[in-house]
């Protein structure tokens, strides 16, 4: 009875995750912890960095997402045990910023380590869809140009042909006239 | 060249998918009157993602990696002849996600709190999960306690009776489920929805507040202008 729902909603499920944004208050909460550690100890624990970066990636603002990316890039080196999470969030971050080509690189890096991860496969599907949309746009422009070119060539051929065949139709008309 | 070819084949495939989508939207009644937000919480490995998957896809995932952050699923169900869309946030149980996943609790109408009947530690942590839920949701949020992996009877560490007592003491609904066999999975999600719907009917839940976790859709079909009329007729219909 409900079987039909799952499949069709799949792409939208990823969209829900990508569209989900954090409230400014929530973000501020984690920012405060991060800034405090930075001030007091000059070095922030991996846990605090991770939490703040995750919140940044969920922000409405591109600048925040960018800052999140920087932290996750650092964490890939400094906290290699959880690299899987960091790569995932880098892919999410670039997808949210609509840099699908970079996002896809992270997705592929993830799938090399964990080929059947559902979360990442769904993200991959979403990125493919967006890349196809971009490709469609490009194709439409290229296709449009081809059509114009084709059209011009077509007209050219038609004219040439008409000129070349000019006599034939006339003859035919003449031939037909007596029959009328 | 090769890449372009695969792009084109993907393009064709996506066109076909789009068309199929359009056809099914036209033919199936996808409209619904309410959206309920759910969260699924509990220790790592208790089977939260498997429960969600069993509920939305009717399938069991034997090997399932730890969730990163959150996962999301939806399904449209029917309660009292009303179509309800469940939007389900499945949170990661690993400790390092805990602080941030708390931001997903806000505005949940239903909360499925899961432990694993074969691992007592996951049961012992329930009070901490419950504290989080009480602090971060509102009083009308329906909490359903789930003892998962009921198919593993031979390695059970928590009895039904003990958990039932805990649930009763804390005013929680309760069932033992198996995401593997599907036992009681449907029931847990649906009974939560029924209880939420009941609160809506009784006016205990403020639909205008974002915190309630319930959104009401404007009725879309012809001749249905007032939802109060709708619910009224439904009540009449259902008093059988
Ligand atoms: N036998 C049995 N195994 C189950 C059941 N539910 C889940 N499992 C298994 O338990 C493991 C963990 O399940 P998940 O759904 O990934 O657990 P989770 O709660 O989502 O874990 P996190 O994402 O880390 O929080 C998987 O290997 C599942 O196959 C069940 O009902 N019975
Ligand atoms: Mg999970």
């Amino acid at each position: 009875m409900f079987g039909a729902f799952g499949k069709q909603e799949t792409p939208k499920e990823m969209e829900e995750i990508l569209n989900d944004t954090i409230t400014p208050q929530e973000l501020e909460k984690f920012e405060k912890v991060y800034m405090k550690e930075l001030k007091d100890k000059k070095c922030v624990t991996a846990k605090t960095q991770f939490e703040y970066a995750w919140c940044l990636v969920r922000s409405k603002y591109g600048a925040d997402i960018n800052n999140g990316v920087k932290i996750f890039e650092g964490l890939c080196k400094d906290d290699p045990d959880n690299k899987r999470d960091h790569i995932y969030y880098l892919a999410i971050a670039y997808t949210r910023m609509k840099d699908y080509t970079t996002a896809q690189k992270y997705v592929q890096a993830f799938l090399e380590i964990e080929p059947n991860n559902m979360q990442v496969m769904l993200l991959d599907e979403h990125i493919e869809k967006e890349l196809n949309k971009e490709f469609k746009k490009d194709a439409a422009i290229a296709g449009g140009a081809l059509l114009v070119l084709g059209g011009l060539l077509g007209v050219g051929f038609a004219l040439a042909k008409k000129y070349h065949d000019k006599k034939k139709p006339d003859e035919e008309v003449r031939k037909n006239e007596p029959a009328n | 060249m090769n890449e372009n070819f695969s792009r084109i084949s993907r393009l064709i495939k996506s066109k076909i998918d789009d068309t199929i989508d359009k056809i099914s939207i036209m033919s199936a009644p996808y409209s619904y009157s309410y959206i309920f937000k759910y969260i699924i919480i509990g220790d790592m490995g208790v089977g939260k993602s498997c429960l969600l998957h069993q509920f939305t896809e009717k399938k069991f995932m034997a090997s399932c990696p730890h969730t990163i952050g959150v996962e999301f699923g939806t399904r449209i169900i029917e309660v009292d002849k009303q179509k309800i869309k469940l939007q389900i946030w499945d949170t990661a149980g690993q400790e390092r996600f805990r602080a941030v996943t708390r931001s997903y609790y806000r505005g949940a109408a239903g909360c499925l709190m899961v432990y694993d009947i074969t691992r007592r530690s996951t049961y012992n942590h329930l009070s901490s999960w419950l504290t989080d839920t009480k602090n971060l949701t509102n009083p009308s949020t329906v909490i359903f306690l789930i003892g998962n992996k009921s198919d593993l009877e031979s390695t059970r560490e928590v009895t039904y009776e003990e958990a039932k007592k805990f649930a009763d003491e804390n005013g929680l609904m309760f069932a033992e489920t198996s995401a593997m066999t599907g036992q009681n999975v449907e029931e847990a999600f649906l009974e939560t929805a029924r209880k939420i719907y009941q609160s809506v009917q009784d006016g205990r839940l403020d639909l205008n507040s974002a915190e309630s976790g319930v959104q009401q859709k404007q009725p879309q079909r012809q001749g249905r202008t007032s939802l109060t009329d709708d619910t009224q007729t439904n009540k009449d219909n259902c008093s059988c």
Side-chain angles (χ1 to χ4, degrees):
Chain A
M1 187 170 157
F2 296 110
F5 292 115
K7 275 269 141 48
Q8 259 158 30
E9 302 252 326
T10 304
K12 281 182 212 140
E13 285 165 12
M14 201 61 237
E15 272 163 40
E16 288 282 345
I17 293 201
L18 293 165
N19 291 338
D20 155 61
T21 52
I22 193 159
T23 63
Q25 297 92 306
E26 204 68 59
L27 175 60
E28 205 176 303
K29 217 168 68 191
F30 289 94
E31 189 167 48
K32 268 188 189 144
V33 181
Y34 181 89
M35 292 305 174
K36 193 170 181 304
E37 281 187 28
L38 198 64
K39 221 176 89 188
D40 295 355
K41 293 185 275 179
K42 294 278 183 292
C43 100
V44 187
T45 61
K47 180 178 182 286
T48 303
Q49 284 190 52
F50 173 74
E51 287 169 354
Y52 181 44
W54 180 8
C55 292
L56 284 171
V57 164
R58 284 171 65 205
S59 168
K60 266 200 289 261
Y61 306 104
D64 286 340
I65 303 177
N66 254 321
N67 286 334
V69 163
K70 279 184 207 129
I71 300 178
F72 276 124
E73 278 168 355
L75 282 171
C76 279
K77 293 188 210 90
D78 303 341
D79 180 27
D81 287 352
N82 299 316
K83 199 164 175 182
R84 154 186 202 263
D85 304 340
H86 309 144
I87 291 178
Y88 174 75
Y89 280 112
L90 283 165
I92 290 273
Y94 281 107
T95 309
R96 291 203 70 210
M97 293 192 292
K98 303 201 190 306
D99 179 351
Y100 299 114
T101 321
T102 313
Q104 203 170 40
K105 283 193 189 119
Y106 282 107
V107 162
Q108 268 151 16
F110 191 108
L111 290 176
E112 253 161 50
I113 315 165
E114 235 181 276
N116 294 318
N117 186 290
M118 277 274 288
Q119 279 182 281
V120 178
M121 277 157 61
L122 284 175
L123 182 59
D124 190 33
E125 223 173 89
H126 176 87
I127 293 170
E128 276 295 324
K129 223 177 157 172
E130 294 301 322
L131 279 173
N132 272 333
K133 268 192 214 160
E134 283 181 359
F135 180 71
K136 261 191 237 183
K137 259 189 238 155
D138 292 350
I141 293 165
L146 267 178
L147 267 180
V148 171
L149 189 69
L152 284 175
L153 276 174
V155 169
F157 275 124
L159 282 174
K161 192 165 190 276
K162 202 171 177 192
Y163 182 77
H164 190 254
D165 297 347
K166 204 161 189 171
K167 277 163 200 158
K168 254 196 204 155
D170 288 354
E171 278 166 20
E172 266 168 35
V173 170
R174 257 178 237 135
K175 255 188 238 160
N176 284 342
E177 262 169 2
N180 282 340
Chain B
M1 199 59 211
N2 218 348
E3 197 178 311
N4 268 345
F5 178 73
S6 64
R7 271 282 137 70
I8 290 167
S9 59
R10 268 188 241 127
L11 178 68
I12 293 168
K13 189 176 161 286
S14 80
K15 267 266 183 256
I16 294 171
D17 285 350
D18 283 356
T19 317
I20 291 172
D21 275 357
K22 269 176 205 144
I23 293 168
S24 33
I25 286 166
M26 284 188 288
S27 59
Y30 273 94
S31 52
Y32 42 84
S33 348
Y34 295 93
I35 299 176
F36 291 177
K37 175 183 165 176
Y38 278 25
I39 52 168
I40 312 180
I41 60 169
D43 278 12
M44 66 179 197
V46 297
K48 298 180 294 297
S49 300
C50 287
L51 285 165
L52 174 62
H53 201 73
Q54 178 62 254
F55 180 66
T56 56
E57 307 272 328
K58 299 259 187 298
K59 276 184 218 140
F60 176 65
M61 294 183 293
S63 68
C64 183
H66 287 298
T67 302
I68 308 169
V70 289
E71 296 186 62
F72 181 85
T74 62
R75 204 181 105 180
I76 297 175
I77 57 159
E78 214 174 280
V79 172
D80 265 13
K81 298 202 175 68
Q82 293 282 336
K83 287 230 160 55
I84 297 169
K85 181 174 187 168
L86 301 185
Q87 294 190 328
I88 309 154
W89 292 93
D90 162 31
T91 63
Q94 284 177 294
E95 183 56 39
R96 69 174 177 286
F97 295 107
R98 182 107 179 235
V100 181
T101 43
R102 285 196 182 101
S103 68
Y104 286 89
Y105 285 52
R106 229 184 86 251
C111 170
L112 307 184
M113 194 166 77
V114 189
Y115 69 95
D116 176 348
I117 67 153
T118 70
R119 274 193 297 147
R120 175 157 282 276
S121 63
T122 67
Y123 176 80
N124 293 340
H125 293 154
L126 285 177
S127 55
S128 133
W129 288 110
L130 189 60
T131 310
D132 270 5
T133 311
K134 298 257 170 184
N135 287 341
L136 299 162
T137 61
N138 54 67
S140 59
T141 300
V142 174
I143 308 171
F144 199 114
L145 178 64
I146 291 178
N148 190 41
K149 308 200 187 178
S150 63
D151 56 290
L152 300 176
E153 191 55 54
S154 60
T155 47
R156 177 192 282 276
E157 287 184 1
V158 182
T159 65
Y160 177 90
E161 289 71 26
E162 183 181 1
K164 175 79 178 122
K165 189 163 164 273
F166 175 83
D168 288 344
E169 282 166 5
N170 291 284
L172 318 173
M173 301 170 92
F174 173 61
E176 283 188 351
T177 65
S178 168
M180 188 163 120
T181 67
Q183 192 202 11
N184 278 339
V185 174
E186 194 83 1
E187 286 77 359
F189 283 87
L190 296 187
E191 273 175 39
T192 306
R194 274 185 216 115
K195 185 102 179 267
I196 298 166
Y197 187 69
Q198 200 57 53
S199 303
V200 175
Q201 296 291 86
D202 299 348
R204 264 181 290 137
L205 227 154
D206 181 9
L207 288 175
N208 296 319
S209 143
E211 307 288 308
S212 74
V214 175
Q215 284 173 54
Q216 192 171 22
K217 284 276 197 172
Q218 288 311 309
Q220 288 159 343
R221 279 190 235 124
Q222 335 80 300
R224 293 192 166 190
T225 40
S226 150
L227 249 165
T228 24
D229 284 356
D230 247 340
T231 43
Q232 202 55 52
T233 23
N234 271 320
K235 255 189 184 160
D236 292 347
N237 288 345
C238 288
S239 55
C240 43

